[in-house]
Amino acid sequence: DAFRERCRDALDFVRTVIQYTKLERVEIGGTRGKVLSDSIVEILEEFKVGVDEFKSVTYDIMDVGEHQFEHDFFKFRMTVKDLDRRMASLLGCAFDDLDTVNMRIKLFDIFEGLLERPIIQA
């Protein structure tokens, strides 16, 4: 059913926004913490641009007859996919940079919602 699929897409969009919004208050420790934290800010800013582009569409996103939605949502998902890859790489670097188990556990706590994303899990 097309409407159900559109609802899933809208829900996916909202979940992604919630997960990435948590990056606003992230600070990473360790010897490379400042550089990695700055990279997170950069990723978040790029994400916000992608969200703003998607939110700026002039049609009703729940109108299943509007075929431009598929193109716009695909573009948004590709942006997020790229950011997920960068985030996964950044998390790997941050994990390697931390030298105690306690700090590594804190890192996982900080990125709790984003760790559910398939590309980041890989």
PDB file of all heavy atoms in Angstrom, residues 90-120:
ATOM      1  N   LEU A  90      34.489   8.029  12.077  1.00  0.00           N
ATOM      2  CA  LEU A  90      34.820   8.899  13.206  1.00  0.00           C
ATOM      3  C   LEU A  90      34.704   8.141  14.541  1.00  0.00           C
ATOM      4  O   LEU A  90      35.567   8.265  15.402  1.00  0.00           O
ATOM      5  CB  LEU A  90      33.877  10.094  13.187  1.00  0.00           C
ATOM      6  CG  LEU A  90      34.188  11.214  14.147  1.00  0.00           C
ATOM      7  CD1 LEU A  90      33.929  12.536  13.476  1.00  0.00           C
ATOM      8  CD2 LEU A  90      33.365  11.098  15.390  1.00  0.00           C
ATOM      9  N   LEU A  91      33.654   7.352  14.681  1.00  0.00           N
ATOM     10  CA  LEU A  91      33.479   6.573  15.910  1.00  0.00           C
ATOM     11  C   LEU A  91      34.592   5.553  16.088  1.00  0.00           C
ATOM     12  O   LEU A  91      35.063   5.327  17.209  1.00  0.00           O
ATOM     13  CB  LEU A  91      32.122   5.867  15.906  1.00  0.00           C
ATOM     14  CG  LEU A  91      30.948   6.744  16.270  1.00  0.00           C
ATOM     15  CD1 LEU A  91      29.634   6.038  15.982  1.00  0.00           C
ATOM     16  CD2 LEU A  91      31.010   7.133  17.728  1.00  0.00           C
ATOM     17  N   GLY A  92      35.011   4.945  14.983  1.00  0.00           N
ATOM     18  CA  GLY A  92      36.130   4.004  15.051  1.00  0.00           C
ATOM     19  C   GLY A  92      37.400   4.686  15.529  1.00  0.00           C
ATOM     20  O   GLY A  92      38.119   4.160  16.387  1.00  0.00           O
ATOM     21  N   CYS A  93      37.670   5.864  15.000  1.00  0.00           N
ATOM     22  CA  CYS A  93      38.854   6.632  15.425  1.00  0.00           C
ATOM     23  C   CYS A  93      38.747   7.028  16.900  1.00  0.00           C
ATOM     24  O   CYS A  93      39.711   6.932  17.644  1.00  0.00           O
ATOM     25  CB  CYS A  93      39.011   7.891  14.573  1.00  0.00           C
ATOM     26  SG  CYS A  93      39.490   7.587  12.884  1.00  0.00           S
ATOM     27  N   ALA A  94      37.560   7.466  17.295  1.00  0.00           N
ATOM     28  CA  ALA A  94      37.359   7.878  18.689  1.00  0.00           C
ATOM     29  C   ALA A  94      37.538   6.690  19.623  1.00  0.00           C
ATOM     30  O   ALA A  94      38.171   6.810  20.681  1.00  0.00           O
ATOM     31  CB  ALA A  94      35.971   8.482  18.865  1.00  0.00           C
ATOM     32  N   PHE A  95      37.006   5.547  19.242  1.00  0.00           N
ATOM     33  CA  PHE A  95      37.122   4.339  20.069  1.00  0.00           C
ATOM     34  C   PHE A  95      38.590   3.950  20.225  1.00  0.00           C
ATOM     35  O   PHE A  95      39.044   3.644  21.333  1.00  0.00           O
ATOM     36  CB  PHE A  95      36.321   3.198  19.434  1.00  0.00           C
ATOM     37  CG  PHE A  95      36.247   1.977  20.286  1.00  0.00           C
ATOM     38  CD1 PHE A  95      35.305   1.877  21.296  1.00  0.00           C
ATOM     39  CD2 PHE A  95      37.110   0.910  20.071  1.00  0.00           C
ATOM     40  CE1 PHE A  95      35.233   0.739  22.092  1.00  0.00           C
ATOM     41  CE2 PHE A  95      37.041  -0.221  20.858  1.00  0.00           C
ATOM     42  CZ  PHE A  95      36.100  -0.311  21.871  1.00  0.00           C
ATOM     43  N   ASP A  96      39.337   3.975  19.123  1.00  0.00           N
ATOM     44  CA  ASP A  96      40.762   3.613  19.169  1.00  0.00           C
ATOM     45  C   ASP A  96      41.575   4.605  19.976  1.00  0.00           C
ATOM     46  O   ASP A  96      42.591   4.245  20.577  1.00  0.00           O
ATOM     47  CB  ASP A  96      41.332   3.513  17.749  1.00  0.00           C
ATOM     48  CG  ASP A  96      40.774   2.330  16.975  1.00  0.00           C
ATOM     49  OD1 ASP A  96      40.222   1.396  17.610  1.00  0.00           O
ATOM     50  OD2 ASP A  96      40.871   2.343  15.732  1.00  0.00           O
ATOM     51  N   ASP A  97      41.141   5.855  19.994  1.00  0.00           N
ATOM     52  CA  ASP A  97      41.873   6.910  20.690  1.00  0.00           C
ATOM     53  C   ASP A  97      41.700   6.839  22.211  1.00  0.00           C
ATOM     54  O   ASP A  97      42.572   7.288  22.951  1.00  0.00           O
ATOM     55  CB  ASP A  97      41.406   8.280  20.177  1.00  0.00           C
ATOM     56  CG  ASP A  97      42.264   9.418  20.687  1.00  0.00           C
ATOM     57  OD1 ASP A  97      43.505   9.316  20.603  1.00  0.00           O
ATOM     58  OD2 ASP A  97      41.686  10.404  21.176  1.00  0.00           O
ATOM     59  N   LEU A  98      40.592   6.288  22.652  1.00  0.00           N
ATOM     60  CA  LEU A  98      40.337   6.203  24.095  1.00  0.00           C
ATOM     61  C   LEU A  98      41.055   4.991  24.679  1.00  0.00           C
ATOM     62  O   LEU A  98      41.019   3.907  24.103  1.00  0.00           O
ATOM     63  CB  LEU A  98      38.831   6.121  24.359  1.00  0.00           C
ATOM     64  CG  LEU A  98      38.043   7.329  23.851  1.00  0.00           C
ATOM     65  CD1 LEU A  98      36.552   7.087  23.986  1.00  0.00           C
ATOM     66  CD2 LEU A  98      38.441   8.592  24.594  1.00  0.00           C
ATOM     67  N   ASP A  99      41.682   5.181  25.832  1.00  0.00           N
ATOM     68  CA  ASP A  99      42.508   4.097  26.359  1.00  0.00           C
ATOM     69  C   ASP A  99      41.909   3.337  27.532  1.00  0.00           C
ATOM     70  O   ASP A  99      42.482   2.354  27.966  1.00  0.00           O
ATOM     71  CB  ASP A  99      43.920   4.588  26.705  1.00  0.00           C
ATOM     72  CG  ASP A  99      43.974   5.992  27.246  1.00  0.00           C
ATOM     73  OD1 ASP A  99      42.993   6.712  27.117  1.00  0.00           O
ATOM     74  OD2 ASP A  99      45.027   6.374  27.775  1.00  0.00           O
ATOM     75  N   THR A 100      40.762   3.728  28.031  1.00  0.00           N
ATOM     76  CA  THR A 100      40.173   2.970  29.134  1.00  0.00           C
ATOM     77  C   THR A 100      38.809   2.430  28.714  1.00  0.00           C
ATOM     78  O   THR A 100      38.119   3.013  27.876  1.00  0.00           O
ATOM     79  CB  THR A 100      39.983   3.838  30.403  1.00  0.00           C
ATOM     80  OG1 THR A 100      38.984   4.821  30.144  1.00  0.00           O
ATOM     81  CG2 THR A 100      41.294   4.492  30.835  1.00  0.00           C
ATOM     82  N   VAL A 101      38.449   1.326  29.313  1.00  0.00           N
ATOM     83  CA  VAL A 101      37.160   0.717  29.030  1.00  0.00           C
ATOM     84  C   VAL A 101      36.034   1.669  29.430  1.00  0.00           C
ATOM     85  O   VAL A 101      35.041   1.810  28.711  1.00  0.00           O
ATOM     86  CB  VAL A 101      37.020  -0.634  29.780  1.00  0.00           C
ATOM     87  CG1 VAL A 101      35.619  -1.200  29.640  1.00  0.00           C
ATOM     88  CG2 VAL A 101      38.055  -1.621  29.271  1.00  0.00           C
ATOM     89  N   ASN A 102      36.207   2.349  30.545  1.00  0.00           N
ATOM     90  CA  ASN A 102      35.196   3.287  31.024  1.00  0.00           C
ATOM     91  C   ASN A 102      34.939   4.399  30.000  1.00  0.00           C
ATOM     92  O   ASN A 102      33.793   4.761  29.736  1.00  0.00           O
ATOM     93  CB  ASN A 102      35.624   3.872  32.381  1.00  0.00           C
ATOM     94  CG  ASN A 102      34.494   4.586  33.077  1.00  0.00           C
ATOM     95  OD1 ASN A 102      33.340   4.249  32.882  1.00  0.00           O
ATOM     96  ND2 ASN A 102      34.844   5.571  33.888  1.00  0.00           N
ATOM     97  N   MET A 103      35.990   4.946  29.415  1.00  0.00           N
ATOM     98  CA  MET A 103      35.829   6.014  28.421  1.00  0.00           C
ATOM     99  C   MET A 103      35.160   5.474  27.156  1.00  0.00           C
ATOM    100  O   MET A 103      34.358   6.169  26.526  1.00  0.00           O
ATOM    101  CB  MET A 103      37.190   6.639  28.095  1.00  0.00           C
ATOM    102  CG  MET A 103      37.750   7.483  29.237  1.00  0.00           C
ATOM    103  SD  MET A 103      39.404   8.117  28.892  1.00  0.00           S
ATOM    104  CE  MET A 103      39.030   9.478  27.809  1.00  0.00           C
ATOM    105  N   ARG A 104      35.468   4.235  26.793  1.00  0.00           N
ATOM    106  CA  ARG A 104      34.853   3.637  25.608  1.00  0.00           C
ATOM    107  C   ARG A 104      33.364   3.395  25.834  1.00  0.00           C
ATOM    108  O   ARG A 104      32.561   3.585  24.927  1.00  0.00           O
ATOM    109  CB  ARG A 104      35.575   2.346  25.236  1.00  0.00           C
ATOM    110  CG  ARG A 104      36.948   2.618  24.649  1.00  0.00           C
ATOM    111  CD  ARG A 104      37.694   1.363  24.337  1.00  0.00           C
ATOM    112  NE  ARG A 104      38.943   1.699  23.642  1.00  0.00           N
ATOM    113  CZ  ARG A 104      39.836   0.800  23.268  1.00  0.00           C
ATOM    114  NH1 ARG A 104      39.636  -0.482  23.520  1.00  0.00           N
ATOM    115  NH2 ARG A 104      40.929   1.183  22.637  1.00  0.00           N
ATOM    116  N   ILE A 105      33.003   2.987  27.038  1.00  0.00           N
ATOM    117  CA  ILE A 105      31.587   2.788  27.362  1.00  0.00           C
ATOM    118  C   ILE A 105      30.853   4.129  27.306  1.00  0.00           C
ATOM    119  O   ILE A 105      29.736   4.213  26.786  1.00  0.00           O
ATOM    120  CB  ILE A 105      31.423   2.109  28.740  1.00  0.00           C
ATOM    121  CG1 ILE A 105      31.899   0.665  28.644  1.00  0.00           C
ATOM    122  CG2 ILE A 105      29.985   2.184  29.224  1.00  0.00           C
ATOM    123  CD1 ILE A 105      31.979  -0.061  29.969  1.00  0.00           C
ATOM    124  N   LYS A 106      31.493   5.183  27.815  1.00  0.00           N
ATOM    125  CA  LYS A 106      30.890   6.518  27.736  1.00  0.00           C
ATOM    126  C   LYS A 106      30.664   6.930  26.285  1.00  0.00           C
ATOM    127  O   LYS A 106      29.658   7.551  25.955  1.00  0.00           O
ATOM    128  CB  LYS A 106      31.790   7.552  28.424  1.00  0.00           C
ATOM    129  CG  LYS A 106      31.611   7.658  29.898  1.00  0.00           C
ATOM    130  CD  LYS A 106      32.457   8.807  30.420  1.00  0.00           C
ATOM    131  CE  LYS A 106      32.329   8.943  31.918  1.00  0.00           C
ATOM    132  NZ  LYS A 106      33.164  10.040  32.423  1.00  0.00           N
ATOM    133  N   LEU A 107      31.616   6.583  25.429  1.00  0.00           N
ATOM    134  CA  LEU A 107      31.486   6.905  24.009  1.00  0.00           C
ATOM    135  C   LEU A 107      30.235   6.246  23.430  1.00  0.00           C
ATOM    136  O   LEU A 107      29.469   6.874  22.708  1.00  0.00           O
ATOM    137  CB  LEU A 107      32.729   6.444  23.237  1.00  0.00           C
ATOM    138  CG  LEU A 107      32.740   6.745  21.744  1.00  0.00           C
ATOM    139  CD1 LEU A 107      32.891   8.241  21.494  1.00  0.00           C
ATOM    140  CD2 LEU A 107      33.863   5.978  21.064  1.00  0.00           C
ATOM    141  N   PHE A 108      30.024   4.982  23.769  1.00  0.00           N
ATOM    142  CA  PHE A 108      28.826   4.284  23.290  1.00  0.00           C
ATOM    143  C   PHE A 108      27.555   4.921  23.839  1.00  0.00           C
ATOM    144  O   PHE A 108      26.547   5.006  23.150  1.00  0.00           O
ATOM    145  CB  PHE A 108      28.872   2.796  23.644  1.00  0.00           C
ATOM    146  CG  PHE A 108      29.861   2.023  22.832  1.00  0.00           C
ATOM    147  CD1 PHE A 108      30.669   1.076  23.422  1.00  0.00           C
ATOM    148  CD2 PHE A 108      29.985   2.223  21.466  1.00  0.00           C
ATOM    149  CE1 PHE A 108      31.580   0.350  22.669  1.00  0.00           C
ATOM    150  CE2 PHE A 108      30.890   1.510  20.703  1.00  0.00           C
ATOM    151  CZ  PHE A 108      31.697   0.566  21.313  1.00  0.00           C
ATOM    152  N   ASP A 109      27.600   5.355  25.083  1.00  0.00           N
ATOM    153  CA  ASP A 109      26.438   6.031  25.673  1.00  0.00           C
ATOM    154  C   ASP A 109      26.116   7.332  24.940  1.00  0.00           C
ATOM    155  O   ASP A 109      24.956   7.650  24.695  1.00  0.00           O
ATOM    156  CB  ASP A 109      26.670   6.325  27.160  1.00  0.00           C
ATOM    157  CG  ASP A 109      26.532   5.096  28.035  1.00  0.00           C
ATOM    158  OD1 ASP A 109      25.941   4.105  27.576  1.00  0.00           O
ATOM    159  OD2 ASP A 109      27.016   5.135  29.184  1.00  0.00           O
ATOM    160  N   ILE A 110      27.151   8.077  24.605  1.00  0.00           N
ATOM    161  CA  ILE A 110      26.975   9.362  23.930  1.00  0.00           C
ATOM    162  C   ILE A 110      26.286   9.183  22.572  1.00  0.00           C
ATOM    163  O   ILE A 110      25.431   9.959  22.187  1.00  0.00           O
ATOM    164  CB  ILE A 110      28.346  10.072  23.738  1.00  0.00           C
ATOM    165  CG1 ILE A 110      28.888  10.534  25.079  1.00  0.00           C
ATOM    166  CG2 ILE A 110      28.228  11.242  22.774  1.00  0.00           C
ATOM    167  CD1 ILE A 110      30.332  11.014  25.012  1.00  0.00           C
ATOM    168  N   PHE A 111      26.656   8.131  21.857  1.00  0.00           N
ATOM    169  CA  PHE A 111      26.145   7.899  20.504  1.00  0.00           C
ATOM    170  C   PHE A 111      25.034   6.857  20.462  1.00  0.00           C
ATOM    171  O   PHE A 111      24.784   6.246  19.422  1.00  0.00           O
ATOM    172  CB  PHE A 111      27.294   7.483  19.580  1.00  0.00           C
ATOM    173  CG  PHE A 111      28.227   8.597  19.281  1.00  0.00           C
ATOM    174  CD1 PHE A 111      29.373   8.769  20.030  1.00  0.00           C
ATOM    175  CD2 PHE A 111      27.952   9.494  18.262  1.00  0.00           C
ATOM    176  CE1 PHE A 111      30.241   9.811  19.766  1.00  0.00           C
ATOM    177  CE2 PHE A 111      28.811  10.534  17.986  1.00  0.00           C
ATOM    178  CZ  PHE A 111      29.965  10.700  18.742  1.00  0.00           C
ATOM    179  N   GLU A 112      24.350   6.701  21.580  1.00  0.00           N
ATOM    180  CA  GLU A 112      23.338   5.667  21.754  1.00  0.00           C
ATOM    181  C   GLU A 112      22.384   5.513  20.564  1.00  0.00           C
ATOM    182  O   GLU A 112      22.285   4.460  19.974  1.00  0.00           O
ATOM    183  CB  GLU A 112      22.554   5.953  23.031  1.00  0.00           C
ATOM    184  CG  GLU A 112      21.333   5.118  23.207  1.00  0.00           C
ATOM    185  CD  GLU A 112      20.417   5.701  24.252  1.00  0.00           C
ATOM    186  OE1 GLU A 112      20.755   6.713  24.886  1.00  0.00           O
ATOM    187  OE2 GLU A 112      19.339   5.135  24.407  1.00  0.00           O
ATOM    188  N   GLY A 113      21.675   6.545  20.188  1.00  0.00           N
ATOM    189  CA  GLY A 113      20.686   6.430  19.118  1.00  0.00           C
ATOM    190  C   GLY A 113      21.298   6.162  17.759  1.00  0.00           C
ATOM    191  O   GLY A 113      20.765   5.395  16.953  1.00  0.00           O
ATOM    192  N   LEU A 114      22.434   6.788  17.477  1.00  0.00           N
ATOM    193  CA  LEU A 114      23.068   6.623  16.167  1.00  0.00           C
ATOM    194  C   LEU A 114      23.655   5.227  15.975  1.00  0.00           C
ATOM    195  O   LEU A 114      23.808   4.768  14.855  1.00  0.00           O
ATOM    196  CB  LEU A 114      24.177   7.666  15.990  1.00  0.00           C
ATOM    197  CG  LEU A 114      23.671   9.056  15.679  1.00  0.00           C
ATOM    198  CD1 LEU A 114      24.790  10.072  15.811  1.00  0.00           C
ATOM    199  CD2 LEU A 114      23.093   9.124  14.283  1.00  0.00           C
ATOM    200  N   LEU A 115      23.971   4.548  17.065  1.00  0.00           N
ATOM    201  CA  LEU A 115      24.554   3.216  16.953  1.00  0.00           C
ATOM    202  C   LEU A 115      23.537   2.211  16.407  1.00  0.00           C
ATOM    203  O   LEU A 115      23.933   1.116  15.993  1.00  0.00           O
ATOM    204  CB  LEU A 115      25.083   2.739  18.310  1.00  0.00           C
ATOM    205  CG  LEU A 115      26.274   3.534  18.848  1.00  0.00           C
ATOM    206  CD1 LEU A 115      26.663   3.042  20.225  1.00  0.00           C
ATOM    207  CD2 LEU A 115      27.458   3.448  17.910  1.00  0.00           C
ATOM    208  N   GLU A 116      22.269   2.579  16.353  1.00  0.00           N
ATOM    209  CA  GLU A 116      21.238   1.705  15.796  1.00  0.00           C
ATOM    210  C   GLU A 116      21.222   1.749  14.269  1.00  0.00           C
ATOM    211  O   GLU A 116      20.631   0.879  13.636  1.00  0.00           O
ATOM    212  CB  GLU A 116      19.862   2.130  16.320  1.00  0.00           C
ATOM    213  CG  GLU A 116      19.710   1.990  17.801  1.00  0.00           C
ATOM    214  CD  GLU A 116      18.426   2.644  18.323  1.00  0.00           C
ATOM    215  OE1 GLU A 116      17.575   3.048  17.506  1.00  0.00           O
ATOM    216  OE2 GLU A 116      18.301   2.732  19.548  1.00  0.00           O
ATOM    217  N   ARG A 117      21.875   2.714  13.680  1.00  0.00           N
ATOM    218  CA  ARG A 117      21.873   2.849  12.238  1.00  0.00           C
ATOM    219  C   ARG A 117      22.725   1.758  11.597  1.00  0.00           C
ATOM    220  O   ARG A 117      23.852   1.529  12.020  1.00  0.00           O
ATOM    221  CB  ARG A 117      22.359   4.239  11.832  1.00  0.00           C
ATOM    222  CG  ARG A 117      21.484   5.346  12.498  1.00  0.00           C
ATOM    223  CD  ARG A 117      21.718   6.699  11.931  1.00  0.00           C
ATOM    224  NE  ARG A 117      21.434   6.770  10.521  1.00  0.00           N
ATOM    225  CZ  ARG A 117      20.213   6.824   9.984  1.00  0.00           C
ATOM    226  NH1 ARG A 117      19.152   6.801  10.754  1.00  0.00           N
ATOM    227  NH2 ARG A 117      20.064   6.889   8.691  1.00  0.00           N
ATOM    228  N   PRO A 118      22.212   1.064  10.589  1.00  0.00           N
ATOM    229  CA  PRO A 118      22.904  -0.097  10.018  1.00  0.00           C
ATOM    230  C   PRO A 118      24.334   0.183   9.532  1.00  0.00           C
ATOM    231  O   PRO A 118      25.228  -0.638   9.776  1.00  0.00           O
ATOM    232  CB  PRO A 118      22.010  -0.499   8.851  1.00  0.00           C
ATOM    233  CG  PRO A 118      20.662   0.012   9.197  1.00  0.00           C
ATOM    234  CD  PRO A 118      20.895   1.269   9.998  1.00  0.00           C
ATOM    235  N   ILE A 119      24.558   1.286   8.865  1.00  0.00           N
ATOM    236  CA  ILE A 119      25.908   1.566   8.348  1.00  0.00           C
ATOM    237  C   ILE A 119      26.884   1.775   9.480  1.00  0.00           C
ATOM    238  O   ILE A 119      28.031   1.350   9.427  1.00  0.00           O
ATOM    239  CB  ILE A 119      25.886   2.781   7.398  1.00  0.00           C
ATOM    240  CG1 ILE A 119      25.129   2.431   6.126  1.00  0.00           C
ATOM    241  CG2 ILE A 119      27.299   3.259   7.069  1.00  0.00           C
ATOM    242  CD1 ILE A 119      24.947   3.568   5.159  1.00  0.00           C
ATOM    243  N   ILE A 120      26.447   2.402  10.553  1.00  0.00           N
ATOM    244  CA  ILE A 120      27.321   2.647  11.704  1.00  0.00           C
ATOM    245  C   ILE A 120      27.601   1.343  12.442  1.00  0.00           C
ATOM    246  O   ILE A 120      28.685   1.143  12.965  1.00  0.00           O
ATOM    247  CB  ILE A 120      26.713   3.724  12.625  1.00  0.00           C
ATOM    248  CG1 ILE A 120      26.692   5.063  11.871  1.00  0.00           C
ATOM    249  CG2 ILE A 120      27.495   3.853  13.918  1.00  0.00           C
ATOM    250  CD1 ILE A 120      26.047   6.197  12.624  1.00  0.00           C
TER     251      ILE A 120
END
